[in-house]
Amino acid sequence: MKLDNKVILITGASRGIGKETVEAALKLNVKKIYAAARNIAQLPDFKDIRVVPVTLDITNAEQISAAAKLASDVDVLINNAGVLSAGSVLTSSTEALLEDLTVNYIGTLMVSRAFQPVLKANGGGAIVSVSSILGKASIAAMGGYCASKAALFSAIQSMRTELKSQGTAVFGVFPGPTETDMTKGLSMPKAKASDTAANILKGIEAGDEDIYPDETSAQLAQLWSSNPKQLEREFAKF
């Protein structure tokens, strides 16, 4: 779908992939961008009147409802907000495991559910949710996070089926390691967040239901599509 003259809402827009997605979208002929963050004081100055700041903690039902009412003209919802709290599924605290699931899975679903009727009223539009290549196979040291992204992957597939009848396209984004605050402690090659963001928008415009926005994720996706068990074995090396 073309993003010309579209109204977009991007969660988690204060930093990382979310911030860069706002920047990348401003280079296109979009009509408006709602830049959502838990604390709008932390949003960068995007220096463009098309950007509208929105206070949105995706685990807060009242804020989600208020955002859906404020942004009733949205055509494209980009669910980017996420956390990385849990490590091993066997040794991480219950609190850390729940935080990943609450934000990455439940929170993303809550926002999607709130904006589903908005999109329907505006002609269908699209829901774009940022999962992770780790949602396809798990690294044990990040097992709790991986599980939350796997749950989101499953939800993306379900929403795609359920929303087809109202004309809402559903995209899943599965990045590999990316240079963000979330991955500061990870010692591995990482894609630039700006490149990842630009490729996410290119994937939406190309109509790619599953978007692999960097070289690593694209390579791992090929392995997963041909031999899912081998991807599991590769991740077991970490």
Side-chain angles (χ1 to χ4, degrees), residues 200-214:
I200 289 171
L201 298 183
K202 287 178 183 176
I204 295 169
E205 292 207 308
D208 299 331
E209 287 187 337
D210 297 322
I211 300 170
Y212 301 95
D214 56 86

Side-chain angles (χ1 to χ4, degrees), residues 13-122:
S14 62
R15 60 181 185 171
I17 293 174
K19 168 185 172 293
E20 295 297 339
T21 303
V22 175
E23 297 278 13
L26 288 173
K27 296 176 183 177
L28 305 176
N29 189 32
V30 300
K31 183 177 182 180
K32 185 191 300 181
I33 300 171
Y34 292 101
R38 284 180 294 180
N39 182 356
I40 60 172
Q42 295 179 353
L43 284 169
D45 181 0
F46 292 107
K47 294 181 172 61
D48 194 306
I49 62 172
R50 290 176 293 170
V51 177
V52 179
V54 178
T55 299
L56 180 57
D57 177 343
I58 69 168
T59 67
N60 185 310
E62 291 184 359
Q63 290 186 10
I64 292 171
S65 178
K69 291 178 182 177
L70 171 70
S72 60
D73 53 349
V74 163
D75 300 300
V76 180
L77 167 65
I78 300 182
N79 290 310
N80 166 75
V83 297
L84 198 171
S85 301
S88 164
V89 294
L90 298 179
T91 60
S92 290
S93 68
T94 301
E95 290 77 16
L97 292 169
L98 284 173
E99 183 174 15
D100 277 349
L101 284 169
T102 301
V103 177
N104 299 338
Y105 175 53
I106 299 297
T108 300
L109 276 183
M110 287 172 63
V111 175
S112 299
R113 289 166 65 158
F115 276 90
Q116 175 257 321
V118 172
L119 296 172
K120 181 178 181 180
N122 293 335

